[in-house]
Amino acid sequence: TGSIKNIKYRFKSVTLISSRRSVMPAWVIDKYGKNEVLRFTKNAALPIIHYPNEVIVKVHAAGLNPIDISMRGGYGAATMAMKRDPLNMNQSGSEFPLILGRDVSGEIMECGLDVNYFKPGDQVWAAIPPWKQGSLAEFVVLSANEVSHKPKSLRHVEAASIPYVAATAWSVIVNTGGLNKDNGSKKRVLILGGSGGVGTLAIQMVKAWGAHVTVTCSQNAERLVRDLGADDVVDYTAGPVEKQLQTLQKFDLILDNIGGETEKWALDLLKPWNGAKYVTLVTPFLHNTDRLGLADGMMQSGVTIGCKVLKHLRKGVHYRWGFFAPSGPTLDEISEMVDAGKVRPVVEEVFSFAQVPQVFQKVEQGHARGKTVVSVIEDQKE
């Protein structure tokens, strides 16, 4: 009876959904591929609390990011499998049916016994780590340290546009780039590719901290990035970007959302011998571990970044890779900035839950102006 008792008292619940039913509606994939692998089902397994620090969230709105498109095609599959199943106990393909969607805004339904910061009924948001089941479903289970109270000033469909890009921008700018609210004043920041999800959030964050922000984007996104606070805007359709940027003062921090050829010239735009950093979000890390396995892939990545770091250190600048890092405390900070009017959501389009395949097509086309969101429940209470 002891074990039954443990199970019985493992969570505090608003409706004890798990005692009523075991399935829920969700969009899933059963194999990796293009858009046709997406399948709607009413019989996805309802998430349950396995650990005392977990919560179940009823999804009101979900946000899609380019990583969802990549993951639909199998990007990161080997690495995520290792993260889900470190001892390799399960057979290959055990992640299916897989639910995508990295952003969630919704309501706490159940809390594990060790969860003290949240209670059923709390309105919350979160960025879901890529190795966990996602938000394109009625419910999602998360660790409490990944969850945060959502900004009071936002509806769920607005809130769902922020967590993943905010957690990424914070990780890259603060943790890797070393810029924060205490030292950001007058710093010169360049954001390469500023009109997408991470870019539009990063502009607002560093402007709130007093930095001078230069952004590259296409001409038709200029008004958007200026409205968000960009000081200088360079149109990449009006001739070689590097030539235009070389006419400006050098930078303290460069955030690169573009990758490819940019790192060949971008580091020359940094202030030398001044602690200036170039941080790229376009890294071969997951590609390496997918291709070579975890140990060899990490070794290959280590060699690659080690060579690049040394090469650029000789010129007095710092080369870094940036990664998404899930963090409830980061979202607490962002929530304060939103409610203080320093950061606002940039929602390009909202789709219904029935339109999820169109959402994937939209995000896959690129040229984003902010974020694309799915309304999972119509916001009845808002």
Side-chain angles (χ1 to χ4, degrees), residues 240-260:
V241 172
E242 63 268 37
K243 297 276 192 295
Q244 299 178 65
L245 289 168
Q246 280 158 5
T247 65
L248 303 174
Q249 274 178 276
K250 303 243 180 196
F251 297 95
D252 297 289
L253 176 66
I254 296 175
L255 168 55
D256 185 359
N257 295 295
I258 307 291

Side-chain angles (χ1 to χ4, degrees), residues 125 148 163 166-168 170-171 175 325-335:
W125 62 348
S148 161
T168 304
W170 189 281
S171 168
N175 302 350
S327 165
T330 291
L331 292 178
D332 289 343
E333 299 254 11
I334 298 287
S335 191

